[in-house]
Amino acid sequence: LDFLGWVAGFPRITDRRHAYWPGETVEKQCVMMWDRFDTRTFTAEWTATVGSSKVAGGTFKRSLVSNVPVMDKIAFAAPETEKKTAGKITIVFKDAEGKEIDRDEAEFEVYPRKSYPWKKAPKFVLFDPDGKTEPELKRLGLVNYTKLDSLAAVGKATHLVIGAFALKKGDGWKALPMDAVDAGLKILILPQDCEAWQAFGLNVQDRQSRILFVRDRTNPAFKGLDDDYVREWAGAPRTSQKNAHGLQQYGSLAPHPKHEPRWTYNLAVAALQLRSPDTVGWIPQIEGEFDMNYSALAKYSTGKGSVQFCTLDCFQRFSTGAKEQDAAVPVIDPAATATANSIFADFLMLPN
C-alpha cells in the first residue's frame, strides 16, 4: 500500500526533543501521505502513555490526495512524576474500512522537578569575567562561591569553576594555576570557543553532536545518568559569536570549507568535542562520535588535583531556528539540567 504515516516533531518534523518537565506541553505531529493518483480517506488513532497510564489520545480522519502531506498537531500536558518516567506516543493508521495498515511510535521521558541539596557542597571560586555563567549557577541553586577577578587570585581555594567563554585564544595551560592543582585544587572548565581548547594542545572537532554516551558509569555522581540524558537537548548550544550569515560560530573550525552547509544546530548536546589524548591521567566521562574517541566531558588528574574539561552546553539553552535567529528564545531542558547537576556533583565530590 502506497501510504506513509509517522509521528513527527513539532514545529519542525525533524525535531526529536524527548525530555519534558511535569506540566509542560508535549508537542508532536501526526503526518500522513498517499502516493497514488486518486484520493482516499485514512484515519489516525493516537494515544499517549506515561508509565502504565494513558494520559491523552485522539483521532484524525483525513482525505489524502497524491503526494500532499497532511499534518495534525498532537499536544498534551506531561503528568506529575516523582522519578524519570518513560512515555510513548502510538499512532495506529487505518483505511476507510477500518483495517489497520500501519503504525508508528515515538518515545519520550518526563523528568521530575527536584532541587539538588547543594547546602552540603564545599565553597568554590568562580572566574566569570563576562558574567555568562553566574546566572546559570544561581538557577541550579549553586550560590556558595566567591568571584575572582583573575585566575592568579585563586589563593587557597579547593575548587575553581572557569565560566563559559572566559578563556581566550592562547591561554591554555599557562593561564591555569597548575601549582595549586598539583597541591589539590580541582578545576572545572565550562564550554569555550575552539581556539581556547586548542591552546591546551587538544584536537577539537565541531560536528555538533546530538547523541553522546555516558562512559564513567561507576562514578557515584553519575548514578542514574543513562544515555537518554545526553542526547538531543531542546534548543541549540550557545556561542560567543556569529558568522556573516547570522549562524552560530565557534571559532576557526566553523564554518570550514570542507564542511557541509549548516543551517541550524538544534538539538545538539555539545557544539565541540575534544579528542582524547594519549596521556596518562585523562579520563573520558561522556563521549561519542565515530570511534568513541572524543569527549564532551573529561577529567585530567595530575598531582593531588584535577582539571575537568566540559564542552556540554547543559545550562541555559537557546533556540536558534529559522524564525528565532535574531531573537534567541530561552529553553530549559530537563535532561540537560539533570546532567549539569551530575557534573557539579562530581566536581564537588558529592553523591548524586
Side-chain angles (χ1 to χ4, degrees):
L1 189 64
D2 298 321
F3 172 86
L4 179 62
W6 73 96
V7 185
F10 183 88
R12 301 174 185 83
I13 62 173
T14 55
D15 191 295
R16 291 174 58 84
R17 185 184 177 189
H18 60 94
Y20 298 90
W21 299 108
E24 189 175 5
T25 301
V26 180
E27 296 178 307
K28 301 293 179 183
Q29 292 184 92
C30 168
V31 183
M32 292 185 281
M33 290 186 66
W34 175 238
D35 197 28
R36 290 192 180 181
F37 293 107
D38 58 344
T39 300
R40 294 197 188 184
T41 299
F42 297 92
T43 301
E45 299 175 353
W46 68 272
T47 58
T49 57
V50 175
S52 59
S53 302
K54 178 181 175 180
V55 296
T59 301
F60 304 117
K61 187 174 183 180
R62 299 289 181 259
S63 293
L64 306 184
V65 298
S66 178
N67 289 316
V68 178
V70 174
M71 292 172 279
D72 290 287
K73 183 177 179 181
I74 294 172
F76 58 93
E80 293 294 327
T81 181
E82 295 182 356
K83 62 180 181 178
K84 175 191 168 191
T85 306
K88 182 187 297 184
I89 299 172
T90 303
I91 304 181
V92 177
F93 300 96
K94 298 181 179 180
D95 61 16
E97 286 73 42
K99 178 182 177 182
E100 180 179 335
I101 55 173
D102 200 3
R103 67 169 54 211
D104 191 34
E105 296 179 345
E107 297 179 343
F108 63 95
E109 309 94 41
V110 182
Y111 292 72
R113 294 185 184 273
K114 61 179 182 180
S115 58
Y116 196 88
W118 295 118
K119 291 181 180 179
K120 300 178 181 179
K123 188 173 184 178
F124 61 93
V125 291
L126 170 66
F127 179 64
D128 185 33
D130 296 332
K132 295 177 182 288
T133 298
E134 187 173 14
E136 300 169 356
L137 298 183
K138 290 181 177 179
R139 182 176 65 82
L140 288 174
L142 286 158
V143 295
N144 190 22
Y145 60 84
T146 301
K147 294 185 67 175
L148 297 181
D149 293 327
S150 79
L151 290 173
V154 68
K156 296 183 179 180
T158 58
H159 296 77
L160 164 64
V161 175
I162 298 179
F165 310 110
L167 298 178
K168 307 304 178 186
K169 181 178 180 179
D171 281 350
W173 294 107
K174 69 178 184 292
L176 302 187
M178 293 307 296
D179 288 343
V181 173
D182 289 337
L185 175 67
K186 298 183 182 301
I187 300 177
L188 171 62
I189 307 176
L190 298 181
Q192 310 292 323
D193 280 329
C194 64
E195 289 93 347
W197 294 126
Q198 288 171 328
F200 289 94
L202 296 169
N203 185 310
V204 185
Q205 63 100 315
D206 65 339
R207 296 297 181 188
Q208 303 291 327
S209 302
R210 291 177 170 85
I211 299 177
L212 296 175
F213 303 90
V214 179
R215 172 76 172 270
D216 193 7
R217 293 187 179 274
T218 61
N219 190 326
F222 294 162
K223 182 179 180 181
L225 194 73
D226 57 41
D227 293 338
D228 279 338
Y229 285 82
V230 287
R231 68 176 178 90
E232 297 160 327
W233 290 340
R238 61 195 162 170
T239 178
S240 64
Q241 54 188 306
K242 289 188 177 182
N243 63 22
H245 303 289
L247 295 179
Q248 299 185 70
Q249 184 168 322
Y250 300 87
S252 61
L253 284 184
H256 190 282
K258 293 183 179 180
H259 289 170
E260 68 281 1
R262 292 179 180 150
W263 301 106
T264 70
Y265 306 122
N266 289 324
L267 304 178
V269 174
L272 306 173
Q273 283 203 74
L274 311 175
R275 185 173 182 178
S276 299
D278 296 325
T279 302
V280 174
W282 181 273
I283 305 171
Q285 295 180 293
I286 294 177
E287 61 184 2
E289 292 301 329
F290 310 120
D291 54 359
M292 299 292 286
N293 199 32
Y294 288 84
S295 300
L297 181 69
K299 184 182 295 185
Y300 173 64
S301 297
T302 178
K304 296 181 179 180
S306 62
V307 180
Q308 201 164 9
F309 299 85
C310 177
T311 69
L312 292 162
D313 188 75
C314 52
F315 303 97
Q316 182 70 56
R317 301 284 293 179
F318 291 93
S319 175
T320 53
K323 293 183 179 179
E324 297 91 15
Q325 288 288 355
D326 297 326
V329 179
V331 178
I332 309 240
D333 186 285
T337 301
T339 302
N341 281 333
S342 293
I343 291 171
F344 271 91
D346 176 46
F347 171 63
L348 299 171
M349 298 180 294
L350 297 170
N352 196 339

